[in-house]
Amino acid sequence: MAVDSGYFTPGQVSFFLGVIPLIFSWVYAEWLEYKKSSLPSKVSHSDLVELEHEAIKEDERVVLMEGGLTKSASTKFSAPSITTNLYRFITMDESFLLENRRLLRSLAEFGAILFYFYICDRMNIISDSSKNYSRDLFLFLYILLIIVSAMTSLKKHQDKSAFSGKSILYLNRHQTEEWKGWMQVLFLMYHYFAATEIYNAIRVFIAAYVWMTGFGNFSYYYIRKDFSVARFAQMMWRLNLFVAFCCIVLNNSYMLYYICPMHTLFTLMVYGALGIGHSYNETRSFMLLKILMCFLLVFFIWEVPGVFEIVWGPFTFLLGYRDPAKPDLPLLHEWQFRSGLDRYIWIIGMIYAYFHPNVEKLMEKLEESKTRRRRIIKTSIITIALIVGYLWYEYVYKLDKVSYNKFHPYTSWIPITVYICLRNVSQQLRGFSLTLFAWLGKITLETYISQFHIWLRSNIPNGQPKWLLCFLPDYPMLNFMLTTAVYILLSCRLFELTNTLKSAFIPTRDNLKLVQNFGAGVAIFACLYSISYILVLMRS
C-alpha cells in the first residue's frame, strides 16, 4: 500500500514554489507565440528594417559560434546580466518570455516529469503490486528482445581508429554503448522481477559500468587534455542534476541512488589522477607511477581498518543512508559496501585505456598477418579466454552472494576482460553492433534513477523499490507493457532535457558566466528554501 506522508519538506515546497511560476511562464510564452504567429502578416518598411536587423544579429550569432566575432560585434552582442534576466522574468516581460520560450518549456517539462514521479511514488492515486519471478518468463523476454534487436537494428560501422586511421574499431563507442545497453536491460529486469538468482551477475555488470568510467574518462582527458572548469561542470551536471532534484522532490538520500555517487567519486578520481601534473602525462614512467599511486590510495582508504571512517566521516551528511528496513546499520554502511565492491576496477579501466593504442597496433599487425598465423593466434585467444572464464565461473561466480562479494573487488576484472577478448576477436565481430541496445546504453543514468519511482515503487522516503507500479491491477503483462513504455519514454526525454539545460546554463568558454550562473542558482535556491522553511514552520 502507498503511504501518504501528509506533509511536505522545505525542499519539496521549494521545488513547487519554483516550478509553478516556470510552468505558468511557459504557458504564457506559448500563448504569446501563438498570438504573434496568428497576426496577419503585413510587410512594411519598418518590418523590412527589423528583418534586416534580425539577419545581422543572426550573422553575428553564427560568427560568434565559430569563434570569430569581432570586438565591436561582441560588444553589441553582449548578453544581459543575470539580474536583468531575473527582473524581466519576474515582471513577465513579453519579449524575454518569447526569446526564452524553448528554455522555459524545457524547465517546465523537467519539473512536470518530477511531479509525475511524486504522484507515482508518494501518493495513493496509483496502486502497486508485488514482484513475481519466473525464470522462464525472464529468459523469454530477454531473448525475445535480443532477437528483435538483431533483426531490426544490427548495423555495420565504418569508423576509423583515432590512432591508426584504420578500421580496427577495438572497444569503439558503438560497442561500449551496446555493452551498457544489454547490461542495463538485465539490471532493470533483475529489479522488476526480483531475479535474485543472478545477483552475482549484476555485481559484474555494475563493475563493468565503473570500468567504463575509468576507461572513458581516462581516454578523454589523456587525448583531449581538457581539464577546464567548464568540462568539469558539464561532467558533474550530467551525473548529478537529475538525481539531485529526485532527492529534493522525493525526500530521498543521495545514497539511495548509489550508482550516482559511485560514478561521481571515480570520475573525480580519474580527473584528479590525470589533472595533477598533466603536463607530464606523456611520460610513461610518470603515468605508471600515477596508476600505482591510485592503487595505493584505494588500498589505504578501503583496506586499512579505521581509515574509511576518518576519510568519509565528514561527508556523512551527503553519503549517509538510513534504510527504513534496516535502521540499525551505521549511516556510512551502504557507502562503504557499494564503493568498496568496485574500488579497484576503475583503475583497471584506466590501464586498459592507457594501453589501448598499443593493443590496436598489435591487432592491426594481426589482421595484416598471414591467414594461418592469424587463425592460430585468434583460436588461442578464444581458447584461453573461455578457459579463464570457465574457471572464474566455477570457482568464483557460483559462490553464494556473501562469499562472492568478498572476492568481487579482486576478480571482477576477469569476466570483463574475457568479454572484451571475445567481443573483439575479429574485425567483422567488432565492426557490428545492435543499435537498439546502444540507444538504451545512452540513457542508462536516466533509466536507473527513474525505475525507482515510475516503474517500481518504494512508497516511503529512502525505501527500496520493493513493489511494482500498477496501472492495470488484473493484467500484469499489459501493465508491464504500459509502465515500461511510459518509463522508457520519460527516461529518453529526461536525457534530452538534461543536455538541453546543460547547454543553456553551462557555457563552454566563459568561466565568469559559469560562476555567475552557479551563484545565481545557489541564491535562488536559498531564497526559495528560506521561504519554504518558514511556510513549513507556520504549518506545523
Side-chain angles (χ1 to χ4, degrees), residues 205-239:
F205 296 164
I206 295 174
Y209 290 134
V210 178
W211 179 92
M212 280 186 253
T213 295
F215 181 85
N217 282 290
F218 184 98
S219 299
Y220 178 87
Y221 291 120
Y222 188 73
I223 296 172
R224 300 285 184 88
K225 299 177 177 59
D226 179 11
F227 300 95
S228 63
V229 176
R231 169 63 185 177
F232 178 81
Q234 289 173 346
M235 183 172 55
M236 292 297 103
W237 180 283
R238 175 77 183 98
L239 287 172

Side-chain angles (χ1 to χ4, degrees), residues 182-457:
W182 68 256
M183 288 194 303
Q184 184 73 352
V185 172
L186 280 174
F187 181 61
L188 296 172
M189 290 177 65
Y190 161 80
H191 282 159
Y192 192 91
F193 294 104
T196 54
E197 67 176 355
I198 64 167
Y199 172 87
N200 292 352
I202 299 303
R203 298 271 69 79
V204 175
F205 296 164
I206 295 174
Y209 290 134
V210 178
W211 179 92
M212 280 186 253
T213 295
F215 181 85
N217 282 290
F218 184 98
S219 299
Y220 178 87
Y221 291 120
Y222 188 73
I223 296 172
R224 300 285 184 88
K225 299 177 177 59
D226 179 11
F227 300 95
S228 63
V229 176
R231 169 63 185 177
F232 178 81
Q234 289 173 346
M235 183 172 55
M236 292 297 103
W237 180 283
R238 175 77 183 98
L239 287 172
N240 291 293
L241 173 77
F242 180 32
V243 70
F245 275 94
C246 283
C247 291
I248 293 171
V249 175
L250 283 305
N251 191 27
N252 286 329
S253 299
Y254 186 38
M255 265 309 296
L256 177 67
Y257 316 92
Y258 64 89
I259 294 291
C260 297
M262 277 178 55
H263 282 287
T264 299
L265 169 67
F266 297 130
T267 298
L268 288 173
M269 295 184 83
V270 175
Y271 181 83
L274 271 75
I276 298 173
H278 60 85
S279 58
Y280 298 99
N281 283 347
E282 299 296 333
T283 306
R284 173 152 294 193
S285 58
F286 189 72
M287 180 55 67
L288 294 177
L289 178 62
K290 282 187 173 186
I291 293 173
L292 176 61
M293 293 301 295
C294 288
F295 274 113
L296 293 176
L297 178 64
V298 170
F299 178 86
F300 181 69
I301 294 176
W302 274 271
E303 307 277 4
V304 178
V307 176
F308 182 90
E309 289 76 11
I310 294 173
V311 171
W312 297 111
F315 301 96
T316 302
F317 73 96
L318 181 65
L319 300 171
Y321 173 69
R322 181 79 71 192
D323 187 345
K326 304 173 183 177
D328 298 329
L329 291 176
L331 287 174
L332 287 176
H333 170 81
E334 187 75 4
W335 174 237
Q336 185 170 20
F337 172 68
R338 300 294 184 181
S339 63
L341 283 173
D342 300 307
R343 57 186 179 269
Y344 291 114
I345 196 63
W346 64 278
I347 309 176
I348 305 297
M350 288 174 58
I351 295 172
Y352 282 39
Y354 184 62
F355 289 103
H356 185 276
N358 303 85
V359 175
E360 273 207 340
K361 290 179 181 178
L362 291 174
M363 295 176 72
E364 181 182 337
K365 292 181 179 179
L366 178 60
E367 294 296 337
E368 294 174 351
S369 63
K370 294 182 180 180
T371 304
R372 185 173 181 274
R373 174 183 172 83
R374 184 167 66 248
R375 287 178 178 174
I376 290 174
I377 293 176
K378 289 185 177 182
T379 302
S380 300
I381 293 173
I382 294 172
T383 303
I384 294 172
L386 290 175
I387 292 173
V388 171
Y390 173 77
L391 292 174
W392 170 82
Y393 176 79
E394 280 292 322
Y395 296 102
V396 180
Y397 180 82
K398 292 173 73 172
L399 294 171
D400 64 274
K401 61 184 291 186
V402 176
S403 301
Y404 173 80
N405 284 339
K406 295 178 181 178
F407 289 95
H408 177 81
Y410 315 104
T411 61
S412 60
W413 64 273
I414 297 175
I416 292 172
T417 306
V418 168
Y419 175 79
I420 292 172
C421 290
L422 297 177
R423 183 67 176 83
N424 292 274
V425 74
S426 73
Q427 180 69 46
Q428 291 75 21
L429 188 58
R430 59 180 172 263
F432 284 93
S433 73
L434 299 176
T435 56
L436 174 59
F437 283 119
W439 175 72
L440 290 170
K442 293 179 181 179
I443 58 172
T444 51
L445 181 66
E446 287 73 24
T447 53
Y448 167 72
I449 297 172
S450 299
Q451 64 166 325
F452 285 82
H453 311 297
I454 60 172
W455 204 43
L456 312 174
R457 291 193 71 170

Side-chain angles (χ1 to χ4, degrees), residues 27-191:
V27 173
Y28 184 47
E30 292 290 350
W31 181 79
L32 290 173
E33 178 66 20
Y34 171 77
K35 181 180 176 182
K36 178 182 176 182
S37 61
S38 62
L39 291 175
S41 56
K42 295 182 179 179
V43 180
S44 63
H45 176 71
S46 60
D47 291 330
L48 291 174
V49 172
E50 183 178 351
L51 287 172
E52 183 179 353
H53 288 322
E54 287 295 326
I56 294 172
K57 289 182 179 179
E58 184 63 30
D59 291 340
E60 291 176 354
R61 189 177 295 110
V62 171
V63 178
L64 177 65
M65 292 176 66
E66 294 174 352
L69 193 63
T70 62
K71 184 176 179 181
S72 60
S74 63
T75 303
K76 185 168 59 176
F77 191 71
S78 58
S81 66
I82 294 176
T83 305
T84 302
N85 284 335
L86 285 175
Y87 176 77
R88 294 176 69 192
F89 172 75
I90 293 172
T91 57
M92 300 293 285
D93 183 275
E94 293 186 357
S95 61
F96 174 81
L97 296 179
L98 285 171
E99 291 168 8
N100 296 276
R101 179 173 56 89
R102 293 182 179 178
L103 176 59
L104 289 171
R105 180 176 64 189
S106 297
L107 289 167
E109 192 175 352
F110 187 78
I113 291 174
L114 286 169
F115 182 60
Y116 175 71
F117 277 37
Y118 184 87
I119 292 173
C120 289
D121 199 27
R122 291 292 188 270
M123 300 179 71
N124 292 312
I125 297 174
I126 304 170
S127 63
D128 51 48
S129 60
S130 301
K131 298 180 181 181
N132 183 32
Y133 177 62
S134 166
R135 183 188 297 174
D136 179 51
L137 177 61
F138 186 93
L139 293 175
F140 168 77
L141 290 173
Y142 189 65
I143 294 173
L144 179 63
L145 181 61
I146 293 175
I147 294 172
V148 172
S149 179
M151 293 176 64
T152 61
S153 69
L154 183 64
K155 183 179 180 181
K156 183 176 182 180
H157 304 283
Q158 303 292 340
D159 300 21
K160 303 294 182 181
S161 168
F163 301 101
S164 65
K166 298 185 178 181
S167 298
I168 301 301
L169 298 174
Y170 167 62
L171 278 175
N172 58 81
R173 183 63 178 268
H174 307 291
Q175 185 186 128
T176 54
E177 295 289 6
E178 176 203 74
W179 187 4
K180 287 194 295 183
W182 68 256
M183 288 194 303
Q184 184 73 352
V185 172
L186 280 174
F187 181 61
L188 296 172
M189 290 177 65
Y190 161 80
H191 282 159

